[in-house]
Amino acid sequence: MTGRIFAVALATAGLSIAPQALAQETGAQEANASAATADSKPPIIPTAAFAGRSQLKSAKLSPDGSRMAAMVEVEGVTNVVIFDASTRQPVSKFGIEEPADIEWLRWAGNSKLIVSISQPGKFFGDDVLYTRLFLANIDTGDSRYLELKRAGRRESIVDGDNLIHLDDNGNFALVSMQRTIRDYPSVYRFDLYPGGDISEVQGPKDGVWNWYADDAGVVRLGSGWYRNRLRVYYRSDATGDLEMAAKVREEDRRDTFWEVSIIKSGSDEGYVLTEGESGRVGLRKFDFLKEEVIETVYEHPEWDIDEATFLKGEPFAVYYTDDRERVVWFDEQRKKYQGMLESALKEEQVWITSSDRDGDRMLVYAGGENDPGAMYVLTANEGRLDQFAELRPNIDFRTLARPMAVSYEARDGETIRAYLTLPRGRAGTGLPLIIMPHGGPYGVRDKLEYNDEVQLLANRGYAVLQPNFRGSSGYGDRFSNLGRGQIGRKMQDDLDDAMDWAVAQGVADKHRVCVVGGSYGGYAALWAATRNPERYRCAASWAGVTDLDAQLKYDKQFFSRKGSNRWRQRVEGEEDFDLDLVSPANNAEKLTRPILLAHGKDDSVVPFSQFRKMQRALKGSDAEVTELVIEDEGHSFSKPENEKAWYDALVAFLAKHNPAE
């Protein structure tokens, strides 16, 4: 898509684009006039271009549409920057004084922002992640933490950023807080004005990890697993007592998905995401007192609903993923704008990512699986679309490879969906292959979307295959549960079967296959080279799990909301299964293939101790080990220079052990 075509497309849709935005678009594309055609080998794109993403992320419009807030990297430090939504120019910024990661941000009215921050730490020797909320008033410059104090001193809360309700006008917030890793969470009300009160509105209950408030800010429901039973407590109004509404044995309700979307004030009704008779997760109107579905609002015949959004207590949109992410608008005006934007921007993916309260101004993303895309500001009442930011400003997307959806049959007959990217300008046979398993592994999946690492490797001549192995989300309850207890086992078989399929299709050379991944994908890469050295030439892991049992102990703080026992059972499967049998660090003596072992020291998801365990286990091993430790990086890359360091190490490692040429 060139700048000229882009301008015509906008004109035909009845929208206009600001001249400076069009100049930006055109200039970026004409900078590489010799862009490769689909049949010619593209120029090598520097690793810095893939790491040099837009400094801006997580942009959100204020409720009145006058301002935008976004997380922006400034000299390697994440700041929150406020933009004038009309001019798209920055007007102010603030940061966090102490070393911490900014996780997300949300407007509280038109003048205040709530920001989630996290810091790794220790709790009696165990690795934990401390989270809390930061409140900033944009107009006055005042800021403070939403935190508890004991004897006048700040109390360190393990889980302090679980925002369960935010008043529409930004007057107060309800936060579910877990004081220590041994406590059940309580709910606190924070008044969001100077000198505002802090009060406990709901104390802890045994087994309750999830608290839900209605749309008026009254805590109405709590749920969680306790002694192998699902407990649900409910009350009809603010004055009633919480009564146990359900007590279900785990064997009677095993891994049934049930998530509260909204509870309507003054009523026992609301909406939940839960499975129907088909096993598909759909949006359903629900009576919480009677514990029964009233009606199904939307259920897709093939795909689970990922998320639902609401406006004034009623369904606004639902989202699902087939091979791409999709939206179904219930609002006719929003549906109209979606169609206009898709017609104007001519991209595979067009998303309204944020909107003001009245829908007069919206933030829009447009891109695709071989186009990193850009962000725009739509001012609907003026019919104007302004470009805000290029997401990969130094990449000419016309040189990128286009991923395609494929399916293959696993050894037990299961159909596995995957995404194959072939390098441009090369014959599509006998290629060096990278198997790239996703993270998670549960509740996650790959899809047709832009991926820096996939494009980096395809640009250098590798075919890349991303299997949605069993246990991946989006394919229904049955497929998800096929992954129960199969980490390192049948889930790993699915990766081996992906390789066999690519070889049988003639795409891949069976002697030139490596596995590359991050997080769970890093685990799967290390385990692939350990378990099946006859198959793979090498493996590269970023932030990979190496000791499953130790990781599960660390994960308790994160998965307690869903029941840490259930999470362990999902991973282990059989009660007496020894996870050491499928942990790379406990089988390092079997490793003979070269590996790239990389980790960030500030990782709060897979702690750096996982790297150390593998490092110690490999002492005296015959395997050739390349190590990369990044001092100031977490689980995901927050600094371009750190991401570039990983890409440089990965490209050099593969060039040595599985060269593309």
Side-chain angles (χ1 to χ4, degrees):
M1 181 179 69
T2 67
R4 187 181 303 276
I5 296 172
F6 183 66
V8 171
L10 287 168
T12 59
L15 299 171
S16 63
I17 188 166
Q20 65 269 28
L22 181 58
Q24 252 185 328
E25 175 80 11
T26 306
Q29 305 315 323
E30 290 180 353
N32 190 346
S34 61
T37 68
D39 297 325
S40 63
K41 190 180 295 186
I44 293 295
I45 301 172
T47 55
F50 290 105
R53 59 192 59 192
S54 169
Q55 293 178 311
L56 179 148
K57 58 183 178 180
S58 301
K60 299 283 191 303
L61 277 166
S62 61
D64 65 3
S66 65
R67 293 163 162 161
M68 297 181 290
M71 295 156 56
V72 178
E73 295 291 330
V74 179
E75 296 181 353
V77 177
T78 300
N79 287 259
V80 177
V81 177
I82 313 302
F83 297 84
D84 182 297
S86 296
T87 65
R88 303 172 312 287
Q89 296 301 308
V91 293
S92 64
K93 72 178 179 71
F94 65 87
I96 307 299
E97 293 182 358
E98 55 196 287
D101 289 331
I102 297 179
E103 301 292 342
W104 51 262
L105 53 85
R106 185 170 170 184
W107 284 96
N110 296 311
S111 61
K112 288 170 284 191
L113 280 167
I114 291 180
V115 181
S116 166
I117 66 170
S118 65
Q119 292 172 292
K122 295 284 186 179
F123 185 84
F124 291 100
D126 292 329
D127 292 314
V128 296
L129 180 68
Y130 290 98
T131 62
R132 52 194 169 129
L133 296 174
F134 183 80
L135 175 69
N137 190 310
I138 309 305
D139 291 340
T140 66
D142 295 332
S143 63
R144 63 186 171 97
Y145 287 101
L146 302 185
E147 59 190 1
L148 306 179
K149 291 187 178 181
R150 181 175 292 177
R153 299 180 62 184
R154 187 181 89 195
E155 188 175 348
S156 294
I157 300 295
V158 172
D159 182 9
D161 72 338
N162 187 14
L163 183 66
I164 67 169
H165 177 80
L166 182 59
D167 172 59
D168 286 343
N169 297 315
N171 293 321
F172 71 93
L174 298 184
V175 185
S176 173
M177 289 183 164
Q178 185 185 2
R179 302 174 83 105
T180 76
I181 60 175
R182 300 188 180 96
D183 292 331
Y184 293 106
S186 302
V187 180
Y188 296 87
R189 173 181 165 133
F190 291 85
D191 290 334
L192 304 181
Y193 48 81
D197 290 338
I198 302 172
S199 58
E200 184 183 65
V201 296
Q202 177 60 58
K205 274 191 173 292
D206 286 350
V208 174
W209 296 105
N210 309 281
W211 289 110
Y212 300 94
D214 64 21
D215 52 10
V218 177
V219 176
R220 298 276 301 278
L221 187 146
S223 68
W225 287 84
Y226 184 72
R227 295 178 178 172
N228 292 329
R229 293 183 180 214
L230 173 68
R231 289 188 170 185
V232 178
Y233 292 87
Y234 177 73
R235 64 181 173 196
S236 289
D237 56 46
T239 61
D241 293 328
L242 282 166
E243 301 287 347
M244 188 177 292
K247 194 158 91 172
V248 183
R249 288 187 181 277
E250 183 175 16
E251 57 266 28
D252 297 332
R253 187 172 180 170
R254 194 163 179 166
D255 269 353
T256 298
F257 187 88
W258 190 79
E259 183 177 286
V260 177
S261 294
I262 193 171
I263 303 173
K264 300 174 73 171
S265 58
S267 166
D268 289 312
E269 295 181 358
Y271 296 91
V272 299
L273 291 176
T274 191
E275 298 158 6
E277 294 181 1
S278 67
R280 299 293 180 197
V281 174
L283 177 64
R284 311 184 200 279
K285 194 172 186 178
F286 195 80
D287 187 312
F288 292 98
L289 185 62
K290 296 179 181 178
E291 302 176 62
E292 62 184 25
V293 172
I294 299 171
E295 64 174 312
T296 294
V297 178
Y298 186 88
E299 178 184 305
H300 195 281
E302 296 182 79
W303 310 101
D304 290 343
I305 301 303
D306 301 322
E307 183 185 0
T309 56
F310 297 83
L311 182 65
K312 297 178 181 178
E314 295 302 324
F316 191 56
V318 292
Y319 302 83
Y320 69 92
T321 305
D322 44 31
D323 284 320
R324 292 191 177 90
E325 293 179 332
R326 310 286 186 183
V327 61
V328 177
W329 295 106
F330 300 125
D331 179 79
E332 291 301 320
Q333 186 69 13
R334 195 57 59 92
K335 187 186 299 184
K336 172 187 171 185
Y337 280 120
Q338 179 76 36
M340 290 176 66
L341 289 163
E342 289 176 354
S343 176
L345 294 166
K346 303 293 184 186
E347 288 278 17
E348 287 90 352
Q349 296 277 249
V350 177
W351 288 100
I352 299 171
T353 63
S354 181
S355 172
D356 66 13
R357 188 171 288 154
D358 298 324
D360 293 329
R361 178 165 281 145
M362 306 171 205
L363 292 180
V364 179
Y365 163 80
E369 55 265 33
N370 65 333
D371 180 358
M375 293 294 297
Y376 304 87
V377 179
L378 172 65
T379 306
N381 55 8
E382 298 176 15
R384 197 182 81 222
L385 193 66
D386 299 302
Q387 189 173 358
F388 185 29
E390 287 276 0
L391 298 193
R392 298 295 182 276
N394 298 316
I395 295 177
D396 181 350
F397 61 80
R398 294 175 297 176
T399 66
L400 300 178
R402 181 177 291 275
M404 68 184 84
V406 299
S407 296
Y408 65 92
E409 188 174 292
R411 64 191 66 182
D412 62 356
E414 282 298 324
T415 298
I416 307 294
R417 195 67 163 168
Y419 302 99
L420 176 65
T421 306
L422 299 178
R424 292 176 59 166
R426 298 170 189 259
T429 58
L431 292 164
L433 176 67
I434 303 297
I435 303 287
M436 188 177 289
H438 61 68
Y442 306 117
V444 182
R445 57 161 292 177
D446 277 318
K447 52 202 167 195
L448 286 176
E449 64 179 354
Y450 175 80
N451 183 301
D452 283 302
E453 207 158 81
V454 169
Q455 293 295 340
L456 168 77
L457 296 174
N459 179 253
R460 279 150 177 80
Y462 297 95
V464 183
L465 186 58
Q466 301 167 271
N468 278 332
F469 44 82
R470 67 195 65 209
S472 300
S473 66
Y475 299 98
D477 182 61
R478 188 193 70 84
F479 189 80
S480 176
N481 282 330
L482 286 176
R484 173 182 285 274
Q486 296 304 323
I487 289 177
R489 290 163 271 177
K490 288 186 179 180
M491 289 163 72
Q492 202 74 24
D493 291 344
D494 291 344
L495 304 185
D496 294 347
D497 295 343
M499 171 194 165
D500 290 343
W501 174 85
V503 171
Q505 296 296 310
V507 169
D509 179 343
K510 69 177 183 179
H511 302 295
R512 304 167 70 196
V513 184
C514 288
V515 188
V516 176
S519 195
Y520 172 81
Y523 158 82
L526 294 173
W527 188 236
T530 305
R531 189 181 87 149
N532 295 108
E534 76 284 358
R535 284 180 166 271
Y536 303 109
R537 289 184 64 156
C538 59
S541 163
W542 168 261
V545 174
T546 65
D547 184 326
L548 288 167
D549 192 62
Q551 183 66 33
L552 280 174
K553 291 176 182 176
Y554 178 75
D555 281 346
K556 287 179 71 173
Q557 60 182 309
F558 303 107
F559 292 99
S560 56
R561 295 178 187 169
K562 302 295 184 185
S564 59
N565 287 339
R566 296 178 69 227
W567 176 246
R568 175 174 280 276
Q569 290 164 9
R570 187 174 182 85
V571 173
E572 287 181 339
E574 304 164 22
E575 289 185 7
D576 58 349
F577 185 80
D578 184 358
L579 289 173
D580 287 352
L581 295 174
V582 291
S583 292
N586 298 100
N587 294 272
E589 74 282 355
K590 301 176 184 176
L591 188 63
T592 58
R593 294 299 190 185
I595 64 167
L596 171 59
L597 188 66
H599 219 107
K601 268 197 169 180
D602 293 340
D603 195 333
S604 57
V605 179
V606 177
F608 188 63
S609 56
Q610 290 282 325
F611 174 92
R612 291 292 192 208
K613 287 176 183 290
M614 191 68 183
Q615 186 185 50
R616 289 193 295 269
L618 285 166
K619 287 184 178 179
S621 166
D622 293 334
E624 182 178 339
V625 181
T626 302
E627 293 182 2
L628 173 67
V629 174
I630 302 181
E631 295 287 335
D632 57 345
E633 195 53 270
H635 195 63
S636 301
F637 294 104
S638 61
K639 299 179 175 69
E641 60 270 25
N642 292 343
E643 189 168 359
K644 180 179 181 300
W646 160 247
Y647 291 156
D648 287 340
L650 178 62
V651 167
F653 175 80
L654 292 174
K656 179 178 180 181
H657 298 291
N658 192 24
E661 300 300 337

